Amino acid sequence: MKKKIVIFEVEGGSDKWINGLRKDTMPIVRAFENLGWLCEVLYFRDEWKDEIYEYTKANFSGFISRINPGNLPYGEELYFETLRKLSEIGVVAISHPDEMLKLGAKDILIKLKNTAFAARDTYGYHSIKEFRKRFPFSLAQKQRVLKQNRGSTGVGIWKVEIHDDTKTFENEPLPLDTLVQCTEAQDNHMEIHTLDDFMKLCEKYMVENNSILIDMPYLERISEGELRLLLIGEKPMAVIHKKPSISEDAFSATMFSGAKYTIFQPEVYPDLIRFFEENAPQIIKQAKLKSYPILWTADFILDFDEQQKDKYVLSEINCSCVGIPEKLIGEFENSFAREVIERIESNFTLKIK
Ligand SMILES: Nc1ncnc2c1ncn2[C@@H]1O[C@H](COP(=O)(O)OP(=O)(O)O)[C@@H](O)[C@H]1O
Ligand SMILES: [Mg+2]
């Protein structure tokens, strides 16, 4: 076994720091070095895939993928193909494309539809026909959030509501010329479209990514903030409270939209931790995975249940490129590196048995 690991990044993207890498990447590199491992960072480009495969195969025991969905200019296909090939020859994958797709895509919300994690009425549209048929009903009653399946930083996450809120609709679909107010989580900017035009805009997410659209209720208590569990394996390491900016229309808890992040020890949120630990096995089961990713996050928004008690609703899971909050740098990356090394070593022991 080589005590060498490689980190894959991509050139460009709003998540990069002045050294061209994600800000927490060099602290991770140093954490490995402090544990006696060599850690190298490579940029992935589609045209370099074969060279990257050969070089990684020859030199490293594992890879850490740190590329946000949406940041590869020509999509994730060739990247994932390369990662799969590396994993097949025994290079330990952190994370494996299966984990990223089965857990990290928004359709996990559909897979968990019948569990304690889900909002009451959440739909997944598998075809444009289904979307066109159901969404005008769904929006007629209340505010909704539409999510593209694979994205990040709030791109393609829309809060949608009827522009003229004096209009009411019973059990009938909204007419296609109804004006709807659409706010994107990327930067909380608002656009007004006819329902027809807005649906056309969203159809592109389905066509371009050959993928489903998620339609879930707008959870008003997002104004109280989104709670992110930062996890190593099955262990919650911290709770990050992400409060949307106070400006009107703001509902986004993403970093770049101006949300405020505060970090707490898990003990500060005992109800959330208990709820998560009781139900977490469902996540693995419904995602059809064998184990928890090494580094991942689960985001929750509060709602009320039928007895008006607090209920945590899952808003998304990330395991493609989890960032380490600046305040945790200095400690967290060491725990992460130790866990990675342990996984590589146990994998190696399995192989030589
Ligand atoms: N159902 C919802 N109700 C209210 N706000 C939501 C809902 N779903 C997402 N949001 C807001 O939109 C933001 C981005 O959505 P999210 O699903 O986390 O996508 P991304 O992967 O782009 O971060 C969240 O941080 C949250 O502030
Ligand atoms: Mg998010």
Side-chain angles (χ1 to χ4, degrees):
M1 186 193 69
K2 307 168 197 87
K3 286 189 167 192
K4 287 165 95 181
I5 185 146
V6 60
I7 293 178
F8 293 133
E9 288 220 12
V10 65
E11 292 149 304
S14 58
D15 56 348
K16 299 305 182 298
W17 193 49
I18 49 176
N19 61 358
L21 302 172
R22 289 184 50 107
K23 198 168 184 182
D24 48 351
T25 287
M26 284 316 290
I28 294 175
V29 169
R30 285 191 285 269
F32 278 99
E33 286 171 357
N34 290 339
L35 293 165
W37 277 57
L38 192 142
C39 182
E40 201 169 311
V41 187
L42 295 181
Y43 286 121
F44 185 87
R45 280 194 203 169
D46 281 0
E47 67 266 30
W48 290 344
K49 71 177 172 53
D50 295 329
E51 203 167 342
I52 286 178
Y53 171 78
E54 293 301 337
Y55 182 66
T56 304
K57 180 180 165 187
N59 289 288
F60 303 99
S61 297
F63 66 76
I64 300 173
S65 172
R66 307 207 77 218
I67 299 183
N68 260 327
N71 275 6
L72 280 160
Y74 306 105
E76 293 173 311
E77 202 175 323
L78 295 179
Y79 179 54
F80 280 180
E81 184 189 298
T82 311
L83 300 189
R84 281 181 198 285
K85 273 171 60 189
L86 286 168
S87 165
E88 276 159 23
I89 55 159
V91 180
V92 174
I94 296 157
S95 298
H96 190 280
D98 282 350
E99 292 177 314
M100 297 190 239
L101 292 172
K102 289 180 176 177
L103 270 188
K106 305 287 190 299
D107 64 359
I108 187 68
L109 302 176
I110 307 299
K111 294 179 198 158
L112 292 169
K113 203 171 153 69
N114 297 316
T115 70
F117 290 114
R120 267 159 289 114
D121 49 346
T122 302
Y123 310 108
Y125 300 123
H126 293 84
S127 67
I128 290 176
K129 200 170 151 210
E130 217 183 324
F131 175 45
R132 289 241 154 213
K133 195 166 157 205
R134 167 93 238 170
F135 187 62
F137 275 100
S138 145
L139 186 62
Q141 309 301 322
K142 49 223 159 247
Q143 297 168 316
R144 305 292 297 178
V145 172
L146 265 187
K147 301 190 178 200
Q148 68 162 328
N149 192 28
R150 200 128 167 82
S152 66
T153 59
V155 177
I157 308 288
W158 294 93
K159 174 188 174 191
V160 202
E161 58 202 311
I162 303 169
H163 182 50
D164 179 357
D165 59 11
T166 59
K167 283 193 182 159
T168 51
F169 297 85
E170 292 297 317
N171 281 331
E172 47 180 320
L174 284 185
L176 286 177
D177 60 357
T178 311
L179 289 182
V180 293
Q181 193 168 305
C182 322
T183 312
E184 194 177 22
Q186 183 183 16
D187 52 7
N188 294 310
H189 82 275
M190 203 252 280
E191 300 174 13
I192 293 175
H193 297 283
T194 63
L195 175 60
D196 192 32
D197 283 347
F198 177 67
M199 284 198 293
K200 276 192 195 123
L201 189 153
C202 292
E203 283 163 14
K204 92 167 181 253
Y205 302 127
M206 303 176 92
V207 176
E208 279 172 11
N209 310 327
N210 187 22
S211 172
I212 78 168
L213 260 187
I214 287 85
D215 169 10
M216 72 185 294
Y218 174 70
L219 303 165
E220 283 178 14
R221 293 181 73 187
I222 185 64
S223 59
E224 295 170 43
E226 189 172 49
L227 290 167
R228 163 164 293 186
L229 278 186
L230 179 62
L231 296 135
I232 289 191
E234 59 187 349
K235 194 169 179 305
M237 305 293 287
V239 178
I240 303 163
H241 179 253
K242 307 186 284 176
K243 185 114 168 52
S245 93
I246 48 168
S247 61
E248 205 190 341
D249 296 328
F251 76 109
S252 180
T254 62
M255 178 75 90
F256 302 107
S257 69
K260 188 170 166 273
Y261 283 35
T262 317
I263 298 164
F264 296 95
Q265 295 289 328
E267 294 74 40
V268 178
Y269 287 94
D271 293 350
L272 173 61
I273 302 295
R274 200 174 321 114
F275 168 76
F276 176 77
E277 287 180 342
E278 271 170 27
N279 294 289
Q282 285 291 334
I283 298 181
I284 294 304
K285 186 171 163 217
Q286 300 302 334
K288 297 195 167 63
L289 287 175
K290 291 200 188 76
S291 59
Y292 294 98
I294 288 198
L295 181 60
W296 60 302
T297 61
D299 290 350
F300 295 92
I301 302 174
L302 272 169
D303 195 8
F304 293 112
D305 70 8
E306 272 132 34
Q307 285 86 43
Q308 295 303 301
K309 289 208 185 111
D310 284 353
K311 172 183 161 45
Y312 291 105
V313 173
L314 184 70
S315 156
E316 72 153 335
I317 289 178
N318 282 305
C319 65
S320 287
C321 184
V322 172
I324 305 175
E326 219 160 323
K327 286 217 171 92
L328 292 181
I329 295 280
E331 215 175 290
F332 187 90
E333 70 276 24
N334 298 322
S335 309
F336 171 58
R338 270 195 298 274
E339 192 72 25
V340 170
I341 291 173
E342 212 167 276
R343 182 145 330 174
I344 294 176
E345 285 175 348
S346 64
N347 187 66
F348 184 72
T349 321
L350 275 180
K351 263 199 316 205
I352 55 171
K353 256 188 195 161

